């Protein structure tokens, strides 16, 4: 079901700490979001020994952080040229590839990348914290809008995987049911 929020401080989801949330060095985080304001967490885990997550930045753009990639929570805020996430539904993906790169996608399209420095897994230094959807641990950075279909995969999805997910789900929140698509080249 959709986690929606009219009052940004009243709806969120939290799960107790689990070894399942100690992400490996390679992973994909995805979610459908409809942000009505900037500066809000989509999903994250933030413990005393490390943190990871995705959010909408203060500029309304996709934000990813993973403490294994350096100081200051290794916060990768995307370039101003990337699309804003405010207003309307968007499918977002962050793919972290072991010691190589972090790749960012909005609505099935690759928009930017940055370096992923570490090859460590959180299993060697667990976060020991709850998983939060719609806010940061401690009740800050509440997401203002709606979040649906949050997924965390312990594999790096490819460009084709992400485009396939987008094309098969793009009408999930569409108000235009008159558009059809075909697998035949040149037919849209």
């Amino acid at each position: 079901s959709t986690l929606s929020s009219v009052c940004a401080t009243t709806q969120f989801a939290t799960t107790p700490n689990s070894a399942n949330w100690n992400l490996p060095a390679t992973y994909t985080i995805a979610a459908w979001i409809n942000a009505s304001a900037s500066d809000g967490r989509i999903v994250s885990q933030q413990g005393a020994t490390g943190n990871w997550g995705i959010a909408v930045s203060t500029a309304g753009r996709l934000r990813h952080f993973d403490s294994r990639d350096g100081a200051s929570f290794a916060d990768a805020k995307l370039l101003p040229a990337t699309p804003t996430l405010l207003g309307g539904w968007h499918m977002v993906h962050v793919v972290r590839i072991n010691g190589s790169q972090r790749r960012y996608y909005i609505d099935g399209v690759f928009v930017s990348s940055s370096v992923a420095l570490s090859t460590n897994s959180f299993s060697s230094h667990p976060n020991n914290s709850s998983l939060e959807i719609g806010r940061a641990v401690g009740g800050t950075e509440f997401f203002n809008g709606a979040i649906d279909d949050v997924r965390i995969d312990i594999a790096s999805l490819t460009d084709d995987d992400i485009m396939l997910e987008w094309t098969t789900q793009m009408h999930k929140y569409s108000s235009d049911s008159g558009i059809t698509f075909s697998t035949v080249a040149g037919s849209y």
Side-chain angles (χ1 to χ4, degrees):
S1 72
T2 302
L3 178 67
S4 61
S5 177
V6 175
C7 176
T9 59
T10 59
Q11 288 194 331
F12 58 89
T14 186
T15 65
N17 178 49
S18 167
N20 293 333
W21 307 132
N22 294 326
L23 294 183
T26 296
Y27 60 80
T28 301
I29 303 172
W32 277 96
I33 65 166
N34 186 349
S36 53
S38 58
D39 197 25
R41 295 278 177 104
I42 299 167
V43 60
S44 65
Q45 185 187 36
Q46 187 170 337
T49 60
N51 62 75
W52 59 265
I54 60 174
V56 176
S57 75
T58 55
R61 290 171 171 59
L62 185 60
R63 174 180 160 218
H64 173 242
F65 50 95
D66 188 314
S67 60
R68 295 172 292 186
D69 288 330
S72 186
F73 299 154
D75 204 347
K77 292 178 182 152
L78 294 186
L79 303 172
T82 61
T84 181
L85 297 171
L86 301 180
W89 282 97
H90 297 281
M91 185 181 215
V92 296
H93 287 81
V94 172
V95 178
R96 186 181 188 282
I97 303 169
N98 185 3
S100 173
Q101 63 179 305
R102 302 188 281 184
R103 297 178 60 82
Y104 311 102
Y105 301 82
I106 298 172
D107 297 333
V109 177
F110 170 77
V111 293
S112 188
S113 67
S114 64
V115 175
L117 300 174
S118 175
T119 59
N120 291 338
S121 167
F122 277 118
S123 63
S124 62
H125 58 282
N127 289 333
N128 297 321
S129 176
S130 60
L131 177 101
E132 303 284 338
I133 298 174
R135 73 172 190 173
V137 171
T140 62
E141 291 185 52
F142 282 92
F143 186 88
N144 194 342
I147 301 171
D148 193 17
D149 197 17
V150 174
R151 288 177 297 107
I152 302 168
D153 297 312
I154 57 170
S156 59
L157 297 183
T158 66
D159 292 352
D160 289 342
D161 294 333
I162 290 168
M163 181 52 76
L164 180 61
E165 281 189 5
W166 164 249
T167 57
T168 59
Q169 296 183 33
M170 64 188 284
H171 290 291
K172 187 173 191 169
Y173 298 104
S174 173
S175 61
D176 184 355
S177 60
I179 298 174
T180 60
F181 293 86
S182 170
T183 57
V184 177
S187 297
Y188 301 98

